mmCIF file of all heavy atoms in Angstrom:
data_model
loop_
_atom_site.group_PDB
_atom_site.id
_atom_site.type_symbol
_atom_site.label_atom_id
_atom_site.label_comp_id
_atom_site.label_asym_id
_atom_site.label_seq_id
_atom_site.Cartn_x
_atom_site.Cartn_y
_atom_site.Cartn_z
ATOM 1 N N ARG A 1 300.285 -60.553 127.956
ATOM 2 C CA ARG A 1 299.324 -61.595 127.631
ATOM 3 C C ARG A 1 299.993 -62.651 126.771
ATOM 4 O O ARG A 1 301.056 -62.426 126.209
ATOM 5 C CB ARG A 1 298.138 -61.002 126.864
ATOM 6 C CG ARG A 1 297.322 -60.053 127.686
ATOM 7 C CD ARG A 1 296.163 -59.465 126.925
ATOM 8 N NE ARG A 1 295.593 -60.381 125.943
ATOM 9 C CZ ARG A 1 294.912 -59.981 124.872
ATOM 10 N NH1 ARG A 1 294.715 -58.704 124.644
ATOM 11 N NH2 ARG A 1 294.417 -60.853 124.020
ATOM 12 N N HIS A 2 299.340 -63.774 126.673
ATOM 13 C CA HIS A 2 299.808 -64.834 125.784
ATOM 14 C C HIS A 2 298.679 -65.117 124.805
ATOM 15 O O HIS A 2 297.750 -65.858 125.118
ATOM 16 C CB HIS A 2 300.198 -66.087 126.570
ATOM 17 C CG HIS A 2 301.315 -65.812 127.528
ATOM 18 N ND1 HIS A 2 302.616 -65.636 127.122
ATOM 19 C CD2 HIS A 2 301.315 -65.622 128.859
ATOM 20 C CE1 HIS A 2 303.366 -65.378 128.174
ATOM 21 N NE2 HIS A 2 302.597 -65.359 129.242
ATOM 22 N N ALA A 3 298.746 -64.498 123.642
ATOM 23 C CA ALA A 3 297.697 -64.611 122.637
ATOM 24 C C ALA A 3 297.697 -65.996 122.012
ATOM 25 O O ALA A 3 298.749 -66.613 121.824
ATOM 26 C CB ALA A 3 297.890 -63.546 121.569
ATOM 27 N N GLU A 4 296.494 -66.449 121.692
ATOM 28 C CA GLU A 4 296.350 -67.702 120.952
ATOM 29 C C GLU A 4 296.728 -67.455 119.492
ATOM 30 O O GLU A 4 296.800 -66.316 119.046
ATOM 31 C CB GLU A 4 294.909 -68.203 121.053
ATOM 32 C CG GLU A 4 294.493 -68.541 122.471
ATOM 33 C CD GLU A 4 295.318 -69.662 123.084
ATOM 34 O OE1 GLU A 4 295.681 -70.617 122.368
ATOM 35 O OE2 GLU A 4 295.621 -69.573 124.291
ATOM 36 N N ARG A 5 296.938 -68.496 118.742
ATOM 37 C CA ARG A 5 297.386 -68.398 117.351
ATOM 38 C C ARG A 5 296.545 -67.465 116.486
ATOM 39 O O ARG A 5 297.076 -66.711 115.701
ATOM 40 C CB ARG A 5 297.347 -69.760 116.692
ATOM 41 C CG ARG A 5 298.516 -70.577 116.951
ATOM 42 C CD ARG A 5 298.408 -71.822 116.135
ATOM 43 N NE ARG A 5 299.327 -72.779 116.694
ATOM 44 C CZ ARG A 5 299.779 -73.804 116.064
ATOM 45 N NH1 ARG A 5 299.367 -74.044 114.842
ATOM 46 N NH2 ARG A 5 300.627 -74.608 116.621
ATOM 47 N N ASP A 6 295.220 -67.552 116.603
ATOM 48 C CA ASP A 6 294.364 -66.790 115.707
ATOM 49 C C ASP A 6 293.950 -65.430 116.257
ATOM 50 O O ASP A 6 293.249 -64.686 115.591
ATOM 51 C CB ASP A 6 293.128 -67.605 115.313
ATOM 52 C CG ASP A 6 292.342 -68.091 116.527
ATOM 53 O OD1 ASP A 6 292.847 -67.973 117.658
ATOM 54 O OD2 ASP A 6 291.215 -68.592 116.335
ATOM 55 N N GLU A 7 294.395 -65.077 117.445
ATOM 56 C CA GLU A 7 294.069 -63.762 117.996
ATOM 57 C C GLU A 7 294.894 -62.685 117.291
ATOM 58 O O GLU A 7 296.060 -62.899 116.958
ATOM 59 C CB GLU A 7 294.334 -63.726 119.499
ATOM 60 C CG GLU A 7 293.336 -64.539 120.308
ATOM 61 C CD GLU A 7 293.589 -64.394 121.784
ATOM 62 O OE1 GLU A 7 294.455 -65.124 122.298
ATOM 63 O OE2 GLU A 7 292.921 -63.556 122.408
ATOM 64 N N THR A 8 294.280 -61.536 117.082
ATOM 65 C CA THR A 8 294.969 -60.451 116.375
ATOM 66 C C THR A 8 295.615 -59.456 117.322
ATOM 67 O O THR A 8 296.351 -58.583 116.877
ATOM 68 C CB THR A 8 293.984 -59.702 115.453
ATOM 69 O OG1 THR A 8 292.906 -59.209 116.240
ATOM 70 C CG2 THR A 8 293.464 -60.611 114.360
ATOM 71 N N ASN A 9 295.367 -59.551 118.601
ATOM 72 C CA ASN A 9 295.954 -58.647 119.598
ATOM 73 C C ASN A 9 296.596 -59.461 120.716
ATOM 74 O O ASN A 9 296.392 -60.665 120.806
ATOM 75 C CB ASN A 9 294.872 -57.745 120.215
ATOM 76 C CG ASN A 9 294.286 -56.804 119.207
ATOM 77 O OD1 ASN A 9 295.001 -56.228 118.411
ATOM 78 N ND2 ASN A 9 292.968 -56.663 119.240
ATOM 79 N N GLY A 10 297.353 -58.767 121.560
ATOM 80 C CA GLY A 10 297.887 -59.412 122.750
ATOM 81 C C GLY A 10 299.319 -59.891 122.661
ATOM 82 O O GLY A 10 299.781 -60.611 123.539
ATOM 83 N N ARG A 11 300.033 -59.487 121.630
ATOM 84 C CA ARG A 11 301.421 -59.944 121.480
ATOM 85 C C ARG A 11 302.453 -58.852 121.716
ATOM 86 O O ARG A 11 303.643 -59.100 121.626
ATOM 87 C CB ARG A 11 301.611 -60.517 120.082
ATOM 88 C CG ARG A 11 300.865 -61.800 119.869
ATOM 89 C CD ARG A 11 301.051 -62.334 118.455
ATOM 90 N NE ARG A 11 300.341 -63.576 118.293
ATOM 91 C CZ ARG A 11 299.042 -63.674 118.070
ATOM 92 N NH1 ARG A 11 298.309 -62.590 117.971
ATOM 93 N NH2 ARG A 11 298.466 -64.853 117.932
ATOM 94 N N GLY A 12 302.014 -57.640 121.998
ATOM 95 C CA GLY A 12 302.920 -56.501 122.100
ATOM 96 C C GLY A 12 304.056 -56.691 123.085
ATOM 97 O O GLY A 12 305.228 -56.573 122.735
ATOM 98 N N LEU A 13 303.733 -57.006 124.333
ATOM 99 C CA LEU A 13 304.798 -57.160 125.322
ATOM 100 C C LEU A 13 305.588 -58.446 125.128
ATOM 101 O O LEU A 13 306.759 -58.516 125.499
ATOM 102 C CB LEU A 13 304.236 -57.075 126.746
ATOM 103 C CG LEU A 13 303.794 -55.675 127.148
ATOM 104 C CD1 LEU A 13 303.202 -55.671 128.553
ATOM 105 C CD2 LEU A 13 304.950 -54.678 127.061
ATOM 106 N N GLU A 14 304.971 -59.455 124.498
ATOM 107 C CA GLU A 14 305.750 -60.647 124.146
ATOM 108 C C GLU A 14 306.824 -60.283 123.119
ATOM 109 O O GLU A 14 307.955 -60.759 123.198
ATOM 110 C CB GLU A 14 304.850 -61.740 123.580
ATOM 111 C CG GLU A 14 304.074 -62.486 124.634
ATOM 112 C CD GLU A 14 303.323 -63.657 124.049
ATOM 113 O OE1 GLU A 14 302.345 -63.410 123.321
ATOM 114 O OE2 GLU A 14 303.723 -64.806 124.324
ATOM 115 N N LEU A 15 306.453 -59.441 122.141
ATOM 116 C CA LEU A 15 307.438 -58.976 121.159
ATOM 117 C C LEU A 15 308.533 -58.161 121.837
ATOM 118 O O LEU A 15 309.716 -58.334 121.545
ATOM 119 C CB LEU A 15 306.763 -58.138 120.081
ATOM 120 C CG LEU A 15 306.002 -58.916 119.024
ATOM 121 C CD1 LEU A 15 305.166 -57.971 118.166
ATOM 122 C CD2 LEU A 15 306.950 -59.698 118.147
ATOM 123 N N VAL A 16 308.136 -57.263 122.727
ATOM 124 C CA VAL A 16 309.124 -56.448 123.440
ATOM 125 C C VAL A 16 310.071 -57.362 124.203
ATOM 126 O O VAL A 16 311.294 -57.198 124.158
ATOM 127 C CB VAL A 16 308.424 -55.432 124.373
ATOM 128 C CG1 VAL A 16 309.439 -54.741 125.274
ATOM 129 C CG2 VAL A 16 307.646 -54.406 123.553
ATOM 130 N N ASP A 17 309.516 -58.356 124.906
ATOM 131 C CA ASP A 17 310.341 -59.280 125.675
ATOM 132 C C ASP A 17 311.300 -60.064 124.781
ATOM 133 O O ASP A 17 312.445 -60.318 125.154
ATOM 134 C CB ASP A 17 309.429 -60.237 126.457
ATOM 135 C CG ASP A 17 310.197 -61.094 127.429
ATOM 136 O OD1 ASP A 17 310.974 -60.538 128.235
ATOM 137 O OD2 ASP A 17 310.031 -62.338 127.399
ATOM 138 N N GLY A 18 310.843 -60.428 123.585
ATOM 139 C CA GLY A 18 311.686 -61.203 122.684
ATOM 140 C C GLY A 18 312.726 -60.389 121.931
ATOM 141 O O GLY A 18 313.779 -60.908 121.578
ATOM 142 N N LEU A 19 312.447 -59.107 121.683
ATOM 143 C CA LEU A 19 313.349 -58.287 120.867
ATOM 144 C C LEU A 19 314.311 -57.432 121.671
ATOM 145 O O LEU A 19 315.433 -57.182 121.228
ATOM 146 C CB LEU A 19 312.536 -57.376 119.943
ATOM 147 C CG LEU A 19 311.755 -58.080 118.846
ATOM 148 C CD1 LEU A 19 310.874 -57.078 118.107
ATOM 149 C CD2 LEU A 19 312.700 -58.770 117.871
ATOM 150 N N ALA A 20 313.870 -56.939 122.814
ATOM 151 C CA ALA A 20 314.722 -56.048 123.611
ATOM 152 C C ALA A 20 315.737 -56.864 124.402
ATOM 153 O O ALA A 20 315.483 -58.012 124.776
ATOM 154 C CB ALA A 20 313.856 -55.217 124.560
ATOM 155 N N ASP A 21 316.886 -56.258 124.654
ATOM 156 C CA ASP A 21 317.870 -56.907 125.513
ATOM 157 C C ASP A 21 317.441 -56.831 126.983
ATOM 158 O O ASP A 21 317.745 -57.733 127.757
ATOM 159 C CB ASP A 21 319.250 -56.268 125.319
ATOM 160 C CG ASP A 21 319.796 -56.592 123.937
ATOM 161 O OD1 ASP A 21 319.918 -57.787 123.615
ATOM 162 O OD2 ASP A 21 320.070 -55.647 123.180
ATOM 163 N N ARG A 22 316.728 -55.763 127.321
ATOM 164 C CA ARG A 22 316.187 -55.572 128.660
ATOM 165 C C ARG A 22 314.922 -54.737 128.544
ATOM 166 O O ARG A 22 314.829 -53.895 127.651
ATOM 167 C CB ARG A 22 317.173 -54.807 129.565
ATOM 168 C CG ARG A 22 318.405 -55.604 129.947
ATOM 169 C CD ARG A 22 319.517 -54.690 130.445
ATOM 170 N NE ARG A 22 320.001 -53.740 129.449
ATOM 171 C CZ ARG A 22 320.780 -54.053 128.411
ATOM 172 N NH1 ARG A 22 321.161 -55.290 128.220
ATOM 173 N NH2 ARG A 22 321.177 -53.135 127.565
ATOM 174 N N TRP A 23 313.968 -54.930 129.450
ATOM 175 C CA TRP A 23 312.803 -54.062 129.477
ATOM 176 C C TRP A 23 312.196 -54.111 130.872
ATOM 177 O O TRP A 23 312.461 -55.012 131.650
ATOM 178 C CB TRP A 23 311.793 -54.421 128.397
ATOM 179 C CG TRP A 23 310.935 -55.639 128.675
ATOM 180 C CD1 TRP A 23 311.271 -56.942 128.447
ATOM 181 C CD2 TRP A 23 309.624 -55.648 129.235
ATOM 182 N NE1 TRP A 23 310.248 -57.762 128.819
ATOM 183 C CE2 TRP A 23 309.218 -56.993 129.309
ATOM 184 C CE3 TRP A 23 308.747 -54.661 129.677
ATOM 185 C CZ2 TRP A 23 307.973 -57.376 129.808
ATOM 186 C CZ3 TRP A 23 307.513 -55.039 130.171
ATOM 187 C CH2 TRP A 23 307.145 -56.381 130.232
ATOM 188 N N GLY A 24 311.394 -53.113 131.158
ATOM 189 C CA GLY A 24 310.728 -53.070 132.444
ATOM 190 C C GLY A 24 309.795 -51.867 132.492
ATOM 191 O O GLY A 24 309.557 -51.205 131.484
ATOM 192 N N TRP A 25 309.286 -51.592 133.675
ATOM 193 C CA TRP A 25 308.402 -50.448 133.835
ATOM 194 C C TRP A 25 308.509 -49.963 135.274
ATOM 195 O O TRP A 25 308.991 -50.687 136.151
ATOM 196 C CB TRP A 25 306.962 -50.803 133.458
ATOM 197 C CG TRP A 25 306.276 -51.672 134.458
ATOM 198 C CD1 TRP A 25 306.375 -53.028 134.588
ATOM 199 C CD2 TRP A 25 305.416 -51.229 135.506
ATOM 200 N NE1 TRP A 25 305.633 -53.457 135.640
ATOM 201 C CE2 TRP A 25 305.020 -52.373 136.227
ATOM 202 C CE3 TRP A 25 304.935 -49.990 135.911
ATOM 203 C CZ2 TRP A 25 304.171 -52.309 137.327
ATOM 204 C CZ3 TRP A 25 304.088 -49.928 137.013
ATOM 205 C CH2 TRP A 25 303.715 -51.073 137.698
ATOM 206 N N GLN A 26 308.064 -48.742 135.482
ATOM 207 C CA GLN A 26 308.073 -48.158 136.823
ATOM 208 C C GLN A 26 306.990 -47.095 136.906
ATOM 209 O O GLN A 26 306.598 -46.504 135.894
ATOM 210 C CB GLN A 26 309.435 -47.561 137.154
ATOM 211 C CG GLN A 26 309.860 -46.473 136.197
ATOM 212 C CD GLN A 26 311.364 -46.358 136.094
ATOM 213 O OE1 GLN A 26 312.038 -47.319 135.754
ATOM 214 N NE2 GLN A 26 311.867 -45.187 136.390
ATOM 215 N N HIS A 27 306.483 -46.900 138.120
ATOM 216 C CA HIS A 27 305.525 -45.815 138.333
ATOM 217 C C HIS A 27 306.257 -44.489 138.166
ATOM 218 O O HIS A 27 307.434 -44.370 138.510
ATOM 219 C CB HIS A 27 304.924 -45.895 139.735
ATOM 220 C CG HIS A 27 303.932 -46.997 139.867
ATOM 221 N ND1 HIS A 27 302.692 -46.964 139.281
ATOM 222 C CD2 HIS A 27 304.010 -48.182 140.502
ATOM 223 C CE1 HIS A 27 302.047 -48.073 139.562
ATOM 224 N NE2 HIS A 27 302.828 -48.843 140.298
ATOM 225 N N GLU A 28 305.568 -43.522 137.602
ATOM 226 C CA GLU A 28 306.139 -42.189 137.408
ATOM 227 C C GLU A 28 305.015 -41.182 137.634
ATOM 228 O O GLU A 28 304.078 -41.115 136.830
ATOM 229 C CB GLU A 28 306.715 -42.062 135.994
ATOM 230 C CG GLU A 28 307.357 -40.718 135.730
ATOM 231 C CD GLU A 28 308.037 -40.691 134.382
ATOM 232 O OE1 GLU A 28 309.212 -41.095 134.312
ATOM 233 O OE2 GLU A 28 307.386 -40.272 133.409
ATOM 234 N N GLY A 29 305.104 -40.422 138.721
ATOM 235 C CA GLY A 29 304.033 -39.489 139.050
ATOM 236 C C GLY A 29 302.738 -40.259 139.214
ATOM 237 O O GLY A 29 302.686 -41.269 139.898
ATOM 238 N N GLY A 30 301.684 -39.819 138.532
ATOM 239 C CA GLY A 30 300.415 -40.525 138.573
ATOM 240 C C GLY A 30 300.287 -41.575 137.500
ATOM 241 O O GLY A 30 299.240 -42.211 137.372
ATOM 242 N N GLY A 31 301.326 -41.784 136.713
ATOM 243 C CA GLY A 31 301.284 -42.741 135.614
ATOM 244 C C GLY A 31 302.408 -43.751 135.699
ATOM 245 O O GLY A 31 302.812 -44.168 136.774
ATOM 246 N N LYS A 32 302.924 -44.121 134.543
ATOM 247 C CA LYS A 32 304.012 -45.102 134.485
ATOM 248 C C LYS A 32 304.916 -44.822 133.290
ATOM 249 O O LYS A 32 304.549 -44.070 132.393
ATOM 250 C CB LYS A 32 303.456 -46.519 134.392
ATOM 251 C CG LYS A 32 302.771 -46.804 133.072
ATOM 252 C CD LYS A 32 302.226 -48.207 133.033
ATOM 253 C CE LYS A 32 301.325 -48.431 131.868
ATOM 254 N NZ LYS A 32 300.155 -47.566 131.806
ATOM 255 N N ARG A 33 306.068 -45.441 133.342
ATOM 256 C CA ARG A 33 307.014 -45.386 132.227
ATOM 257 C C ARG A 33 307.431 -46.818 131.920
ATOM 258 O O ARG A 33 307.892 -47.539 132.795
ATOM 259 C CB ARG A 33 308.234 -44.559 132.593
ATOM 260 C CG ARG A 33 309.262 -44.544 131.499
ATOM 261 C CD ARG A 33 310.490 -43.744 131.781
ATOM 262 N NE ARG A 33 310.556 -43.235 133.146
ATOM 263 C CZ ARG A 33 311.648 -42.745 133.692
ATOM 264 N NH1 ARG A 33 312.755 -42.684 133.001
ATOM 265 N NH2 ARG A 33 311.644 -42.303 134.929
ATOM 266 N N ILE A 34 307.262 -47.212 130.663
ATOM 267 C CA ILE A 34 307.727 -48.518 130.195
ATOM 268 C C ILE A 34 308.971 -48.261 129.367
ATOM 269 O O ILE A 34 309.005 -47.341 128.556
ATOM 270 C CB ILE A 34 306.651 -49.227 129.356
ATOM 271 C CG1 ILE A 34 305.394 -49.415 130.185
ATOM 272 C CG2 ILE A 34 307.170 -50.564 128.838
ATOM 273 C CD1 ILE A 34 304.246 -50.021 129.418
ATOM 274 N N TRP A 35 310.002 -49.033 129.585
ATOM 275 C CA TRP A 35 311.265 -48.806 128.890
ATOM 276 C C TRP A 35 311.793 -50.120 128.337
ATOM 277 O O TRP A 35 311.439 -51.205 128.814
ATOM 278 C CB TRP A 35 312.301 -48.168 129.827
ATOM 279 C CG TRP A 35 312.596 -49.006 131.035
ATOM 280 C CD1 TRP A 35 311.971 -48.948 132.256
ATOM 281 C CD2 TRP A 35 313.563 -50.050 131.149
ATOM 282 N NE1 TRP A 35 312.495 -49.885 133.108
ATOM 283 C CE2 TRP A 35 313.478 -50.573 132.458
ATOM 284 C CE3 TRP A 35 314.489 -50.587 130.268
ATOM 285 C CZ2 TRP A 35 314.285 -51.609 132.902
ATOM 286 C CZ3 TRP A 35 315.301 -51.630 130.713
ATOM 287 C CH2 TRP A 35 315.191 -52.111 132.021
ATOM 288 N N CYS A 36 312.649 -50.005 127.344
ATOM 289 C CA CYS A 36 313.388 -51.157 126.841
ATOM 290 C C CYS A 36 314.736 -50.665 126.330
ATOM 291 O O CYS A 36 314.904 -49.488 126.016
ATOM 292 C CB CYS A 36 312.621 -51.907 125.757
ATOM 293 S SG CYS A 36 312.305 -50.978 124.257
ATOM 294 N N GLU A 37 315.681 -51.555 126.292
ATOM 295 C CA GLU A 37 317.029 -51.241 125.815
ATOM 296 C C GLU A 37 317.463 -52.269 124.779
ATOM 297 O O GLU A 37 317.174 -53.457 124.918
ATOM 298 C CB GLU A 37 318.026 -51.231 126.971
ATOM 299 C CG GLU A 37 317.774 -50.119 127.955
ATOM 300 C CD GLU A 37 318.730 -50.123 129.142
ATOM 301 O OE1 GLU A 37 319.303 -51.181 129.463
ATOM 302 O OE2 GLU A 37 318.891 -49.045 129.735
ATOM 303 N N VAL A 38 318.160 -51.770 123.774
ATOM 304 C CA VAL A 38 318.728 -52.627 122.730
ATOM 305 C C VAL A 38 320.192 -52.263 122.607
ATOM 306 O O VAL A 38 320.541 -51.090 122.432
ATOM 307 C CB VAL A 38 318.002 -52.431 121.381
ATOM 308 C CG1 VAL A 38 318.673 -53.233 120.286
ATOM 309 C CG2 VAL A 38 316.535 -52.811 121.503
ATOM 310 N N ASP A 39 321.035 -53.266 122.719
ATOM 311 C CA ASP A 39 322.476 -53.055 122.578
ATOM 312 C C ASP A 39 322.822 -53.029 121.097
ATOM 313 O O ASP A 39 322.447 -53.923 120.345
ATOM 314 C CB ASP A 39 323.257 -54.170 123.279
ATOM 315 C CG ASP A 39 323.011 -54.182 124.776
ATOM 316 O OD1 ASP A 39 322.803 -53.095 125.351
ATOM 317 O OD2 ASP A 39 323.016 -55.274 125.364
ATOM 318 N N ARG A 40 323.528 -51.980 120.721
ATOM 319 C CA ARG A 40 323.976 -51.832 119.327
ATOM 320 C C ARG A 40 325.374 -52.419 119.242
ATOM 321 O O ARG A 40 326.330 -51.867 119.767
ATOM 322 C CB ARG A 40 323.989 -50.362 118.944
ATOM 323 C CG ARG A 40 324.339 -50.140 117.502
ATOM 324 C CD ARG A 40 324.139 -48.675 117.158
ATOM 325 N NE ARG A 40 324.412 -48.482 115.758
ATOM 326 C CZ ARG A 40 325.320 -47.626 115.319
ATOM 327 N NH1 ARG A 40 325.995 -46.871 116.158
ATOM 328 N NH2 ARG A 40 325.525 -47.506 114.026
ATOM 329 N N CYS A 41 325.474 -53.546 118.574
ATOM 330 C CA CYS A 41 326.742 -54.272 118.492
ATOM 331 C C CYS A 41 327.383 -54.062 117.129
ATOM 332 O O CYS A 41 326.942 -53.241 116.342
ATOM 333 C CB CYS A 41 326.500 -55.757 118.730
ATOM 334 S SG CYS A 41 325.786 -56.092 120.336
ATOM 335 N N GLU A 42 328.360 -54.865 116.871
ATOM 336 C CA GLU A 42 329.040 -54.815 115.590
ATOM 337 C C GLU A 42 328.073 -55.149 114.480
ATOM 338 O O GLU A 42 326.998 -55.683 114.702
ATOM 339 C CB GLU A 42 330.214 -55.803 115.588
ATOM 340 C CG GLU A 42 329.800 -57.264 115.638
ATOM 341 C CD GLU A 42 329.382 -57.772 117.019
ATOM 342 O OE1 GLU A 42 329.662 -57.111 118.023
ATOM 343 O OE2 GLU A 42 328.766 -58.841 117.068
ATOM 344 N N ALA A 43 328.445 -54.838 113.271
ATOM 345 C CA ALA A 43 327.598 -55.098 112.101
ATOM 346 C C ALA A 43 327.347 -56.591 111.965
ATOM 347 O O ALA A 43 328.205 -57.409 112.303
ATOM 348 C CB ALA A 43 328.272 -54.558 110.852
ATOM 349 N N PRO A 44 326.193 -56.995 111.439
ATOM 350 C CA PRO A 44 325.914 -58.412 111.238
ATOM 351 C C PRO A 44 326.795 -58.990 110.145
ATOM 352 O O PRO A 44 327.302 -58.256 109.303
ATOM 353 C CB PRO A 44 324.437 -58.430 110.824
ATOM 354 C CG PRO A 44 324.188 -57.085 110.256
ATOM 355 C CD PRO A 44 325.104 -56.140 110.995
ATOM 356 N N PRO A 45 326.962 -60.311 110.157
ATOM 357 C CA PRO A 45 327.754 -60.939 109.098
ATOM 358 C C PRO A 45 327.122 -60.678 107.737
ATOM 359 O O PRO A 45 325.914 -60.499 107.640
ATOM 360 C CB PRO A 45 327.680 -62.434 109.437
ATOM 361 C CG PRO A 45 327.232 -62.511 110.857
ATOM 362 C CD PRO A 45 326.468 -61.263 111.133
#
């Protein structure tokens, strides 16, 4: 979703999209699996 400024919900997947290096989902059995990946790089400056 794309939450408006004053909405208190609806930003979860936007955050995932902005923070994860990759993310997606797939059907699994009768449900689903949502995944994300974060690359662990060198220490920050």
Side-chain angles (χ1 to χ4, degrees):
R1 294 180 33 204
H2 299 286
E4 297 298 323
R5 277 186 197 200
D6 56 350
E7 289 184 276
T8 57
N9 294 317
R11 291 179 179 80
L13 289 178
E14 282 187 290
L15 283 169
V16 171
D17 188 52
L19 292 174
D21 291 303
R22 290 162 297 286
W23 77 276
W25 73 278
Q26 59 207 58
H27 286 289
E28 181 174 273
K32 69 181 169 301
R33 177 180 7 166
I34 301 176
W35 59 269
C36 64
E37 294 178 337
V38 175
D39 297 327
R40 184 172 183 237
C41 300
E42 68 282 345

